[in-house]
Structure formats: structure tokens, C-alpha cells
Amino acid sequence: MTSNQIKRPLGLQLLIYGFVLFWLILAAFPFLWTMWGSFKVELDFFSKGDWTNVFSGVRTQVVYGKSFTGAGYEGAWIQEEFWRAFFNTAIVCVSTVLISLTLATLGGYALSRSGFRYSFWLLIIALVFRALPPITLVSGYLQPFYDWNVWGTLPTTIIVLVAINQPFTLWMLHSFFQTIPKELDESAKVDGCTQFQAFRHVIIPVMWPGVITAGLFSFLLAYNDFAVTALLLSQENQTMVPKIASFMGTTQTEGNIMFAVAAVVSAIVPLFILVMFFQRQLVSGLTAGAVKG
Amino acid sequence: MKHKTFFWFFLPTALAMFLFIALPLTSIVSQSLHTPHDAGIWLLLNRVIHLVVNLKLLLIIRQVKKSTKSKPQGKWVGFQIYTDRNHLAFKEVGEFWESKTSFIDFVSSLNDLPFYRAMGFTLTYTFVVTPLVILFGFIIALAVNSLHRHLKGFMVFFSLLPMIVTPLVGSLILFWMIDARGIIGSGLQELFADPTLSLKASTGLTWITLIVYGVWHSAPFAFIVFYAGLQTVPQETIEAAMIDGATRFQQTIHVIVPHLSPLVAFVALIQLMDNFRVFEPIVGFSASAHATSLSWIIWNDIGQEIRLLSSAATTSVLTIIGVIILLMPVLIRTWREFNPEK
């Protein structure tokens, strides 16, 4: 590419930089704007008259005597008990990731090492399951969950999320294990290991990059889920996303829209941190399936 | 790997998928054929679980028998729910077909029927957003790839954000910005010098808003995939094309695009699956007055005070049929690749 770059005409160069800047603003500005605005009062965040009010914080100054306020966060986290939703999300995400990784690692490894016809069909079935919108399954869950009296609890939701995540995680780990040479565990088996011992002593030490990537995506699926968590969790067990959705109904009428803004920003921050630390793994995970074709 | 070892390795994940995906699937099919609901399969499973958990055999069987009696199976109604007004609405469609004079009239009258309304938006969204995502992602990838090395990492970081963020949260953020009092909403009002302009007021503008959101949310995915693909474009071919006098544009069309075409198929597959389930933006943008999707009407049925499970199950089955039709080309292709001799 270097030889290309030197000869690029100025017009094209400007076009490229202009477009990149346009995309950068499109991608980043909404988040930065909302984060900044979450420390203001509603009349500043939604300032019809003069949009620079968000930066100067005129109204915020009038109400609180300074141009920043944590009132939205206080209202959301303490008054509306968003901290409860935060901890519920933490429990749900961590458990979902741990359980679905355990199951999918074993399954994905088996699929990658079995050349039989049925392993192909299992992958196709998993692909079809992956394509189903999760919400189509929910009406199938509700009746039995009521009957067994397990509706609304965190463990039920965790198990459902694990199952819904399985097809995707399975595919991802399957294609990862295929990149680990078969000879590695074959030779361990020649040395007298059983398949499981080969897996334990040879594969487990080298599988962590793939497992971490799959874990990240499994975390995101659980963290970002709305349909399942909103319909399967009771009011007091709500995780962050359904809680935010229920804020929309209540706070908009009570004029506490800044609570919802603060809650939304609180839900974004963990994702920001995640992208910051795991950018490389996320990118490799997104392309893993693609490179396989 | 031996069959037996495979079985034990695969059992946990198979069990999870069987119990919580395959069984619910059969359960919604049976629900959709009964009214108000059918618990046949679940009652059977219920019995098994009671047996295992409590081990009080006789007592439990008596209990289950009693519960079966007190809660009879829902009434079998066949395809009645499928053909009622809220789903395929055969009767209404027939009437429209008879009474409407032009085809356009007929299509627009379908808009009054909830299922067709949702279907219309879902399909429009899927088939508009998917190509736009591919195009936009490709342009971003080309642009970012020509940047300096240090800028690339920075761009990738910010580009990931719209995709990683929770769909509901992302749509709420944009919703507040396009509010008449928000920065984009009021900016547009000034731009068009129309103080009553609202993106939420008309159906057309709401659809455009949702589609813009969809592209914003998914373009990063296409970008990352294409960007990774660009790193593997063979330099020799590019140089050969250059020597042959191909312009920059010709190089892109004839060398880079063919090299990336398998990736386009991959992105299109994932995007078709994901866009077909469009749901959260409709909730986030409070857009249900102007746009509904198949997932949204399922949500709406379940979220009612009296949960309309049979109705939701019927829409679910129809949605799943839609997904399978959508996946058909891929499934057929995979089948052919696997059985090349046939």
C-alpha cells in the first residue's frame, strides 16, 4: 500500500480525511454528548433555544450553583435503586459467561475433532437456532415457568440466556479449535492419554485466547439482551436494560428524564471499558467466522 | 474421536439447546394450534421432573392427574389463530382483494392489518439496511485502511462503539438527540426553517430514522470484517493492475471487491438474520405508532395485562418460517457443498 499512498492525489486525500472525520463524529459524538449532558439539568440537556447551554450549563448553574451536577445519577442509583439492577446484571452476565463457556468449550472441541457426518448436521442446526429471534421462544417458556414457579428469578434467566448463547458460542469455539492442529492431541493420545486427558493437558493450556474472545461475545449477548430479560425477570430482579426501559415509562411523566439519561450512561461505561481493554480480541472474534468463509 | 467420547463431550451443550430451544419450539407450535394454551409436552416433562425431584411417586402422580383434570388441555382450534384478523387474516385479505380496484390500493389497505403492517416494516428494514450496511462498511474500511498506522487503532476503537452498545441504549441516545428539543432535532428545525418539524410525527420520517439507526448500529461490523479482509489483499495483483494502467477506482472494483466477495456473503448472512429480528429500536424510539416489526408484535402480545400466549406463539411460528425462508439459499448452498456429487 505504501507505493499507493505516495501517489494519492490531494483531492482524494481530502475526501478520505473528510469521510473519516464524518464517520468518527457519527460514531463517537452521540456517546460523548450524552455523557457530558448527563451531568446537567433537563433544561440544559434539551435546550431548544440555545444548544450551547449544554456546554455552559446555564440552567444547571441556576439550580445547583455550579455547572455540573450528579443529581441524575443520585436519582437513578439511589432513589430508583439502579444499583440493584447493576448487581443483577453483574450476576447474570458472569454466570452466563462461565456456564456457556464451559458447555461450549467441550461441545466445540468435540465438533472440531469429529469428522463424522452428524457433526456437520449439528452445526447446521446450531446455525438455524442462532438465526431464531430469541423473543420467538419466550412464549414457549412462560407457561412452564409459571407452572414450576420459577418465573422471575435470576437462575432461570441465566439458564435461558446460556441456552440462547450456545449456538453462537459453539460456532465460534468450533472454528477456533479447528485452528489448533489435530496432531497436538493425537500425539498425546498416542502417548496413552484418553481423549479427555488429552483435552485437559494439551488443549486447555493453549485454548485461552479463543475462549476469552468467545467469552467476550457471550458477555455482550447477555449484557445487551432486552427481550428475554424484560419478559422473564420480575420487577425486583430486573437487570439494567429492562430497568432502563421501565424508566422510560415512569420518569418521562414525572419529569425525571435525567434519571434515565444517567442510567443509560451508567450502562454504557462498562462497555467502554470493555472495548478499551479487549479491542484486539473483539476484532479477532468478529473476523474469526468470516475468515473461515 | 469415537462416537461415545463425542457423545459425552457434546451432551451438556446439546442438553441446554434441546431443553431451552428445541422443546420451547415444539411448545410454541402446539400453543399456536390451541386456545387458550396447551401444556401437553410440558405436563409430561413436569411429571418427569416431579418424579425425579420428589421421589414421592404415588402422591405426585395423583397430584399431576388432578392438575391435568383441573386444567384441561387448551381447545384444539387447528389453524384458526393463524387465519384470524391479527395474523394472516385470510377473510380480510380476501375482502380487500374483492373490493379494491387497483393493486396499490390493495397493498395499502393491508397496512390496516397488524401482521402485514409488521411484515412490511420488517422486510423493508431488513432489505434496506443490509445493503446499506455493506456499502457503508466497505467505504469506511477503504478510508480507514489508507490512514496512518497510529490513526487506524484509534478509528477502530471509536468505530466499535455503535455496534457494541446495547441496542436499546443506543437507540435511546439517538432518540434524545432527535427530540424536538434535542441537538439534532432542533438543528434540523433550523436547517429547514420549520419549527414544527418532528422526526417522530410521520410514518415516512420514522422509518427513515429507524433505518439510519440500523445502519449506524451495524456498519461497524461490516467495517471490521472488510478491514480485516483488506489486510490480506495480494499486493502483487494490485501492482500488476497498476502496471496495466488501471486507475485507482478500477483497482478497487476489479481487484479488491472480488477479493472481498466471500466476506460480503458472510456479512450479508449475519445481517439478514440480525435485521430480521429488529425490535429494540422500535421500543427505544417509541416508534410503534408508525412502525412495528414481527418481534415487536410478539412482545406486545406477551406484554399485555392478559398475556396473549397463543397469539404470540402463532406470530412466533410465522416469524420462524420467515427466518427459514431467509436462510434457505445458505442452507441449500451448504447442502450442495457437502454433497457435491448429487
Short mmCIF file of all heavy atoms in Angstrom, two decimals, chain B residues 126-179:
data_model
loop_
_atom_site.label_atom_id
_atom_site.label_comp_id
_atom_site.label_asym_id
_atom_site.label_seq_id
_atom_site.Cartn_x
_atom_site.Cartn_y
_atom_site.Cartn_z
N THR B 126 -35.08 -4.93 6.78
CA THR B 126 -34.05 -5.93 6.50
C THR B 126 -33.38 -5.67 5.16
O THR B 126 -32.15 -5.67 5.06
CB THR B 126 -34.67 -7.33 6.49
OG1 THR B 126 -35.43 -7.49 7.68
CG2 THR B 126 -33.61 -8.41 6.42
N PHE B 127 -34.20 -5.42 4.13
CA PHE B 127 -33.60 -5.35 2.79
C PHE B 127 -33.11 -3.96 2.42
O PHE B 127 -32.49 -3.79 1.37
CB PHE B 127 -34.59 -5.90 1.75
CG PHE B 127 -34.72 -7.39 1.87
CD1 PHE B 127 -35.81 -7.97 2.48
CD2 PHE B 127 -33.69 -8.21 1.43
CE1 PHE B 127 -35.91 -9.34 2.62
CE2 PHE B 127 -33.77 -9.58 1.56
CZ PHE B 127 -34.88 -10.15 2.17
N VAL B 128 -33.37 -2.96 3.24
CA VAL B 128 -32.74 -1.66 3.01
C VAL B 128 -31.46 -1.55 3.83
O VAL B 128 -30.42 -1.12 3.34
CB VAL B 128 -33.71 -0.50 3.33
CG1 VAL B 128 -32.99 0.83 3.26
CG2 VAL B 128 -34.87 -0.52 2.36
N VAL B 129 -31.55 -1.97 5.10
CA VAL B 129 -30.40 -1.80 5.98
C VAL B 129 -29.23 -2.69 5.54
O VAL B 129 -28.09 -2.23 5.50
CB VAL B 129 -30.80 -2.08 7.45
CG1 VAL B 129 -29.58 -2.15 8.34
CG2 VAL B 129 -31.73 -0.99 7.96
N THR B 130 -29.52 -3.93 5.18
CA THR B 130 -28.43 -4.86 4.88
C THR B 130 -27.51 -4.35 3.76
O THR B 130 -26.30 -4.26 3.97
CB THR B 130 -28.99 -6.26 4.57
OG1 THR B 130 -29.84 -6.63 5.64
CG2 THR B 130 -27.89 -7.28 4.40
N PRO B 131 -28.03 -3.99 2.58
CA PRO B 131 -27.11 -3.48 1.55
C PRO B 131 -26.41 -2.18 1.96
O PRO B 131 -25.22 -2.01 1.67
CB PRO B 131 -28.01 -3.24 0.33
CG PRO B 131 -29.36 -3.59 0.71
CD PRO B 131 -29.41 -4.11 2.08
N LEU B 132 -27.15 -1.30 2.65
CA LEU B 132 -26.52 -0.04 3.07
C LEU B 132 -25.37 -0.30 4.03
O LEU B 132 -24.33 0.35 3.95
CB LEU B 132 -27.56 0.87 3.73
CG LEU B 132 -28.52 1.60 2.79
CD1 LEU B 132 -29.50 2.45 3.58
CD2 LEU B 132 -27.75 2.46 1.80
N VAL B 133 -25.57 -1.27 4.94
CA VAL B 133 -24.51 -1.59 5.90
C VAL B 133 -23.27 -2.09 5.15
O VAL B 133 -22.15 -1.68 5.44
CB VAL B 133 -25.01 -2.65 6.90
CG1 VAL B 133 -23.87 -3.36 7.58
CG2 VAL B 133 -25.90 -2.00 7.93
N ILE B 134 -23.49 -2.94 4.16
CA ILE B 134 -22.36 -3.49 3.41
C ILE B 134 -21.63 -2.38 2.67
O ILE B 134 -20.39 -2.26 2.73
CB ILE B 134 -22.85 -4.58 2.43
CG1 ILE B 134 -23.32 -5.80 3.24
CG2 ILE B 134 -21.76 -4.97 1.46
CD1 ILE B 134 -23.99 -6.86 2.43
N LEU B 135 -22.39 -1.51 2.01
CA LEU B 135 -21.78 -0.42 1.25
C LEU B 135 -21.02 0.54 2.17
O LEU B 135 -19.84 0.85 1.94
CB LEU B 135 -22.88 0.34 0.50
CG LEU B 135 -22.38 1.45 -0.41
CD1 LEU B 135 -21.71 0.85 -1.63
CD2 LEU B 135 -23.53 2.35 -0.84
N PHE B 136 -21.70 0.96 3.23
CA PHE B 136 -21.11 1.94 4.13
C PHE B 136 -19.89 1.35 4.84
O PHE B 136 -18.84 1.99 4.95
CB PHE B 136 -22.18 2.36 5.15
CG PHE B 136 -21.95 3.69 5.75
CD1 PHE B 136 -21.81 4.82 4.96
CD2 PHE B 136 -21.89 3.84 7.13
CE1 PHE B 136 -21.61 6.07 5.53
CE2 PHE B 136 -21.68 5.08 7.70
CZ PHE B 136 -21.54 6.19 6.89
N GLY B 137 -20.02 0.10 5.29
CA GLY B 137 -18.90 -0.57 5.95
C GLY B 137 -17.70 -0.68 5.03
O GLY B 137 -16.55 -0.48 5.45
N PHE B 138 -17.97 -0.95 3.77
CA PHE B 138 -16.87 -1.09 2.79
C PHE B 138 -16.16 0.25 2.60
O PHE B 138 -14.92 0.31 2.58
CB PHE B 138 -17.44 -1.61 1.47
CG PHE B 138 -16.41 -1.78 0.39
CD1 PHE B 138 -15.39 -2.70 0.54
CD2 PHE B 138 -16.46 -1.02 -0.76
CE1 PHE B 138 -14.43 -2.87 -0.45
CE2 PHE B 138 -15.52 -1.17 -1.75
CZ PHE B 138 -14.50 -2.10 -1.59
N ILE B 139 -16.93 1.33 2.49
CA ILE B 139 -16.31 2.64 2.29
C ILE B 139 -15.48 3.03 3.52
O ILE B 139 -14.34 3.50 3.39
CB ILE B 139 -17.39 3.71 1.99
CG1 ILE B 139 -18.10 3.37 0.68
CG2 ILE B 139 -16.76 5.09 1.89
CD1 ILE B 139 -19.24 4.28 0.35
N ILE B 140 -16.04 2.78 4.71
CA ILE B 140 -15.27 3.12 5.91
C ILE B 140 -13.97 2.32 5.94
O ILE B 140 -12.90 2.83 6.25
CB ILE B 140 -16.08 2.83 7.20
CG1 ILE B 140 -17.39 3.60 7.20
CG2 ILE B 140 -15.28 3.23 8.44
CD1 ILE B 140 -18.31 3.18 8.33
N ALA B 141 -14.08 1.02 5.60
CA ALA B 141 -12.89 0.17 5.63
C ALA B 141 -11.83 0.69 4.67
O ALA B 141 -10.64 0.78 5.02
CB ALA B 141 -13.27 -1.27 5.27
N LEU B 142 -12.24 1.07 3.46
CA LEU B 142 -11.28 1.60 2.49
C LEU B 142 -10.63 2.88 3.02
O LEU B 142 -9.41 3.05 2.94
CB LEU B 142 -11.98 1.92 1.16
CG LEU B 142 -12.22 0.78 0.19
CD1 LEU B 142 -12.88 1.31 -1.06
CD2 LEU B 142 -10.91 0.08 -0.15
N ALA B 143 -11.45 3.77 3.58
CA ALA B 143 -10.93 5.04 4.06
C ALA B 143 -9.98 4.84 5.23
O ALA B 143 -8.86 5.38 5.24
CB ALA B 143 -12.09 5.96 4.47
N VAL B 144 -10.39 4.03 6.21
CA VAL B 144 -9.55 3.84 7.40
C VAL B 144 -8.26 3.13 7.02
O VAL B 144 -7.19 3.43 7.55
CB VAL B 144 -10.32 3.07 8.50
CG1 VAL B 144 -9.39 2.64 9.62
CG2 VAL B 144 -11.45 3.91 9.05
N ASN B 145 -8.37 2.19 6.07
CA ASN B 145 -7.18 1.43 5.68
C ASN B 145 -6.10 2.32 5.07
O ASN B 145 -4.93 1.98 5.10
CB ASN B 145 -7.58 0.34 4.69
CG ASN B 145 -6.50 -0.70 4.54
OD1 ASN B 145 -5.88 -1.07 5.53
ND2 ASN B 145 -6.24 -1.13 3.32
N SER B 146 -6.50 3.45 4.51
CA SER B 146 -5.50 4.31 3.88
C SER B 146 -4.92 5.32 4.87
O SER B 146 -4.10 6.13 4.49
CB SER B 146 -6.13 5.04 2.69
OG SER B 146 -7.12 5.90 3.16
N LEU B 147 -5.35 5.25 6.13
CA LEU B 147 -4.84 6.21 7.13
C LEU B 147 -3.48 5.77 7.64
O LEU B 147 -3.01 4.66 7.38
CB LEU B 147 -5.81 6.30 8.31
CG LEU B 147 -7.16 6.94 8.07
CD1 LEU B 147 -7.96 6.90 9.35
CD2 LEU B 147 -6.99 8.37 7.58
N HIS B 148 -2.90 6.65 8.43
CA HIS B 148 -1.63 6.33 9.08
C HIS B 148 -1.86 5.27 10.15
O HIS B 148 -2.92 5.19 10.75
CB HIS B 148 -1.04 7.61 9.69
CG HIS B 148 0.35 7.40 10.21
ND1 HIS B 148 0.57 7.08 11.53
CD2 HIS B 148 1.54 7.45 9.60
CE1 HIS B 148 1.88 6.94 11.69
NE2 HIS B 148 2.49 7.17 10.54
N ARG B 149 -0.83 4.48 10.39
CA ARG B 149 -0.91 3.34 11.31
C ARG B 149 -1.50 3.72 12.68
O ARG B 149 -2.35 3.02 13.22
CB ARG B 149 0.50 2.78 11.48
CG ARG B 149 0.60 1.39 12.01
CD ARG B 149 1.96 0.82 11.61
NE ARG B 149 3.05 1.77 11.89
CZ ARG B 149 3.66 1.87 13.07
NH1 ARG B 149 3.28 1.10 14.06
NH2 ARG B 149 4.63 2.72 13.25
N HIS B 150 -1.05 4.84 13.24
CA HIS B 150 -1.50 5.19 14.59
C HIS B 150 -2.97 5.59 14.62
O HIS B 150 -3.67 5.34 15.59
CB HIS B 150 -0.65 6.33 15.14
CG HIS B 150 0.77 5.92 15.33
ND1 HIS B 150 1.13 4.90 16.17
CD2 HIS B 150 1.92 6.37 14.78
CE1 HIS B 150 2.44 4.74 16.13
NE2 HIS B 150 2.94 5.62 15.28
N LEU B 151 -3.40 6.20 13.53
CA LEU B 151 -4.80 6.63 13.47
C LEU B 151 -5.75 5.43 13.36
O LEU B 151 -6.88 5.48 13.80
CB LEU B 151 -5.01 7.55 12.28
CG LEU B 151 -4.62 9.01 12.49
CD1 LEU B 151 -4.77 9.78 11.19
CD2 LEU B 151 -5.46 9.64 13.58
N LYS B 152 -5.24 4.34 12.75
CA LYS B 152 -6.11 3.18 12.50
C LYS B 152 -6.68 2.62 13.80
O LYS B 152 -7.89 2.41 13.91
CB LYS B 152 -5.33 2.09 11.78
CG LYS B 152 -5.12 2.39 10.30
CD LYS B 152 -4.32 1.27 9.64
CE LYS B 152 -4.05 1.60 8.20
NZ LYS B 152 -3.12 0.63 7.60
N GLY B 153 -5.80 2.38 14.79
CA GLY B 153 -6.25 1.80 16.06
C GLY B 153 -7.29 2.68 16.73
O GLY B 153 -8.31 2.21 17.22
N PHE B 154 -7.03 3.97 16.69
CA PHE B 154 -7.95 4.96 17.24
C PHE B 154 -9.32 4.88 16.57
O PHE B 154 -10.36 4.85 17.24
CB PHE B 154 -7.29 6.33 17.02
CG PHE B 154 -8.10 7.51 17.43
CD1 PHE B 154 -8.17 7.87 18.76
CD2 PHE B 154 -8.75 8.27 16.49
CE1 PHE B 154 -8.91 8.97 19.14
CE2 PHE B 154 -9.49 9.37 16.86
CZ PHE B 154 -9.58 9.72 18.20
N MET B 155 -9.30 4.79 15.24
CA MET B 155 -10.56 4.71 14.49
C MET B 155 -11.32 3.43 14.81
O MET B 155 -12.54 3.42 14.93
CB MET B 155 -10.31 4.78 12.99
CG MET B 155 -10.02 6.15 12.44
SD MET B 155 -11.28 7.36 12.85
CE MET B 155 -12.68 6.71 11.95
N VAL B 156 -10.57 2.32 14.93
CA VAL B 156 -11.23 1.04 15.22
C VAL B 156 -11.92 1.13 16.57
O VAL B 156 -13.07 0.69 16.73
CB VAL B 156 -10.22 -0.12 15.17
CG1 VAL B 156 -10.84 -1.40 15.72
CG2 VAL B 156 -9.74 -0.34 13.75
N PHE B 157 -11.26 1.74 17.55
CA PHE B 157 -11.85 1.86 18.89
C PHE B 157 -13.19 2.57 18.82
O PHE B 157 -14.20 2.08 19.31
CB PHE B 157 -10.91 2.61 19.83
CG PHE B 157 -11.54 2.95 21.15
CD1 PHE B 157 -11.69 1.98 22.12
CD2 PHE B 157 -12.00 4.23 21.41
CE1 PHE B 157 -12.29 2.28 23.33
CE2 PHE B 157 -12.60 4.54 22.62
CZ PHE B 157 -12.75 3.56 23.58
N PHE B 158 -13.21 3.76 18.20
CA PHE B 158 -14.46 4.52 18.18
C PHE B 158 -15.50 3.88 17.27
O PHE B 158 -16.69 4.00 17.52
CB PHE B 158 -14.20 5.97 17.78
CG PHE B 158 -13.71 6.78 18.93
CD1 PHE B 158 -12.37 7.13 19.03
CD2 PHE B 158 -14.57 7.16 19.95
CE1 PHE B 158 -11.92 7.85 20.12
CE2 PHE B 158 -14.12 7.88 21.04
CZ PHE B 158 -12.78 8.23 21.12
N SER B 159 -15.03 3.18 16.22
CA SER B 159 -15.99 2.55 15.32
C SER B 159 -16.73 1.40 15.99
O SER B 159 -17.87 1.11 15.64
CB SER B 159 -15.28 2.03 14.08
OG SER B 159 -14.68 3.09 13.40
N LEU B 160 -16.06 0.75 16.96
CA LEU B 160 -16.70 -0.40 17.60
C LEU B 160 -17.89 0.03 18.47
O LEU B 160 -18.82 -0.74 18.68
CB LEU B 160 -15.69 -1.15 18.47
CG LEU B 160 -14.76 -2.11 17.76
CD1 LEU B 160 -13.70 -2.63 18.73
CD2 LEU B 160 -15.54 -3.30 17.20
N LEU B 161 -17.85 1.28 18.96
CA LEU B 161 -18.85 1.69 19.95
C LEU B 161 -20.31 1.52 19.50
O LEU B 161 -21.09 0.91 20.24
CB LEU B 161 -18.60 3.14 20.38
CG LEU B 161 -17.29 3.35 21.14
CD1 LEU B 161 -17.11 4.82 21.48
CD2 LEU B 161 -17.28 2.52 22.41
N PRO B 162 -20.71 2.04 18.33
CA PRO B 162 -22.14 1.91 17.99
C PRO B 162 -22.61 0.47 17.92
O PRO B 162 -23.77 0.18 18.17
CB PRO B 162 -22.23 2.56 16.60
CG PRO B 162 -21.05 3.40 16.49
CD PRO B 162 -19.97 2.76 17.30
N MET B 163 -21.69 -0.45 17.60
CA MET B 163 -22.09 -1.84 17.47
C MET B 163 -22.15 -2.54 18.83
O MET B 163 -23.04 -3.34 19.09
CB MET B 163 -21.10 -2.56 16.57
CG MET B 163 -21.44 -4.01 16.38
SD MET B 163 -20.09 -4.87 15.65
CE MET B 163 -18.91 -4.79 16.96
N ILE B 164 -21.16 -2.23 19.67
CA ILE B 164 -21.06 -2.90 20.97
C ILE B 164 -22.18 -2.47 21.91
O ILE B 164 -22.67 -3.24 22.71
CB ILE B 164 -19.69 -2.55 21.60
CG1 ILE B 164 -18.56 -3.27 20.89
CG2 ILE B 164 -19.65 -2.80 23.08
CD1 ILE B 164 -18.62 -4.73 20.84
N VAL B 165 -22.60 -1.22 21.79
CA VAL B 165 -23.53 -0.68 22.78
C VAL B 165 -24.88 -1.39 22.68
O VAL B 165 -25.32 -1.79 21.59
CB VAL B 165 -23.66 0.84 22.60
CG1 VAL B 165 -24.63 1.18 21.51
CG2 VAL B 165 -24.05 1.49 23.89
N THR B 166 -25.52 -1.58 23.83
CA THR B 166 -26.84 -2.21 23.90
C THR B 166 -27.80 -1.54 22.92
O THR B 166 -27.93 -0.32 22.96
CB THR B 166 -27.38 -2.05 25.33
OG1 THR B 166 -26.35 -2.31 26.25
CG2 THR B 166 -28.54 -2.96 25.57
N PRO B 167 -28.48 -2.31 22.05
CA PRO B 167 -29.35 -1.67 21.06
C PRO B 167 -30.37 -0.71 21.68
O PRO B 167 -30.56 0.39 21.17
CB PRO B 167 -30.04 -2.86 20.41
CG PRO B 167 -29.11 -3.99 20.58
CD PRO B 167 -28.39 -3.76 21.87
N LEU B 168 -30.96 -1.11 22.80
CA LEU B 168 -31.97 -0.24 23.40
C LEU B 168 -31.32 1.07 23.86
O LEU B 168 -31.87 2.16 23.66
CB LEU B 168 -32.62 -0.94 24.60
CG LEU B 168 -33.75 -0.14 25.21
CD1 LEU B 168 -35.00 -0.24 24.38
CD2 LEU B 168 -34.02 -0.57 26.63
N VAL B 169 -30.14 0.96 24.45
CA VAL B 169 -29.44 2.15 24.95
C VAL B 169 -29.00 3.04 23.79
O VAL B 169 -29.20 4.26 23.83
CB VAL B 169 -28.22 1.70 25.80
CG1 VAL B 169 -27.26 2.84 26.03
CG2 VAL B 169 -28.69 1.12 27.12
N GLY B 170 -28.47 2.42 22.75
CA GLY B 170 -28.04 3.19 21.58
C GLY B 170 -29.20 3.93 20.95
O GLY B 170 -29.08 5.11 20.60
N SER B 171 -30.36 3.25 20.85
CA SER B 171 -31.48 3.93 20.21
C SER B 171 -32.03 5.03 21.11
O SER B 171 -32.48 6.06 20.63
CB SER B 171 -32.58 2.94 19.81
OG SER B 171 -32.85 2.04 20.83
N LEU B 172 -31.96 4.83 22.44
CA LEU B 172 -32.41 5.89 23.35
C LEU B 172 -31.55 7.14 23.20
O LEU B 172 -32.06 8.26 23.18
CB LEU B 172 -32.36 5.41 24.80
CG LEU B 172 -33.61 4.73 25.32
CD1 LEU B 172 -33.38 4.24 26.73
CD2 LEU B 172 -34.78 5.69 25.29
N ILE B 173 -30.24 6.93 23.09
CA ILE B 173 -29.33 8.07 22.96
C ILE B 173 -29.69 8.88 21.72
O ILE B 173 -29.82 10.11 21.77
CB ILE B 173 -27.88 7.57 22.89
CG1 ILE B 173 -27.43 7.10 24.26
CG2 ILE B 173 -26.96 8.65 22.36
CD1 ILE B 173 -26.03 6.61 24.31
N LEU B 174 -29.88 8.17 20.60
CA LEU B 174 -30.24 8.89 19.37
C LEU B 174 -31.63 9.51 19.49
O LEU B 174 -31.87 10.60 18.99
CB LEU B 174 -30.18 7.95 18.16
CG LEU B 174 -28.80 7.41 17.80
CD1 LEU B 174 -28.85 6.74 16.45
CD2 LEU B 174 -27.76 8.51 17.78
N PHE B 175 -32.51 8.81 20.19
CA PHE B 175 -33.88 9.31 20.36
C PHE B 175 -33.88 10.66 21.08
O PHE B 175 -34.58 11.59 20.69
CB PHE B 175 -34.69 8.28 21.15
CG PHE B 175 -36.10 8.68 21.44
CD1 PHE B 175 -37.01 8.84 20.41
CD2 PHE B 175 -36.53 8.87 22.74
CE1 PHE B 175 -38.32 9.19 20.67
CE2 PHE B 175 -37.84 9.22 23.01
CZ PHE B 175 -38.74 9.39 21.98
N TRP B 176 -33.05 10.77 22.11
CA TRP B 176 -32.98 12.04 22.83
C TRP B 176 -32.36 13.13 21.97
O TRP B 176 -32.71 14.29 22.09
CB TRP B 176 -32.18 11.87 24.12
CG TRP B 176 -32.92 11.09 25.16
CD1 TRP B 176 -34.28 11.13 25.37
CD2 TRP B 176 -32.40 10.16 26.09
NE1 TRP B 176 -34.62 10.27 26.39
CE2 TRP B 176 -33.49 9.68 26.86
CE3 TRP B 176 -31.12 9.68 26.40
CZ2 TRP B 176 -33.33 8.75 27.89
CZ3 TRP B 176 -30.96 8.77 27.42
CH2 TRP B 176 -32.07 8.30 28.15
N MET B 177 -31.44 12.74 21.10
CA MET B 177 -30.81 13.76 20.26
C MET B 177 -31.74 14.25 19.17
O MET B 177 -31.69 15.42 18.79
CB MET B 177 -29.52 13.22 19.65
CG MET B 177 -28.42 13.02 20.68
SD MET B 177 -26.95 12.31 19.98
CE MET B 177 -26.19 13.74 19.28
N ILE B 178 -32.61 13.37 18.66
CA ILE B 178 -33.51 13.83 17.59
C ILE B 178 -34.80 14.40 18.14
O ILE B 178 -35.65 14.84 17.38
CB ILE B 178 -33.86 12.69 16.59
CG1 ILE B 178 -34.63 11.58 17.30
CG2 ILE B 178 -32.62 12.17 15.90
CD1 ILE B 178 -35.41 10.72 16.35
N ASP B 179 -34.97 14.36 19.46
CA ASP B 179 -36.13 15.01 20.07
C ASP B 179 -36.19 16.47 19.61
O ASP B 179 -35.16 17.09 19.34
CB ASP B 179 -35.95 14.94 21.59
CG ASP B 179 -37.19 15.39 22.33
OD1 ASP B 179 -37.39 16.61 22.48
OD2 ASP B 179 -37.94 14.51 22.76
#
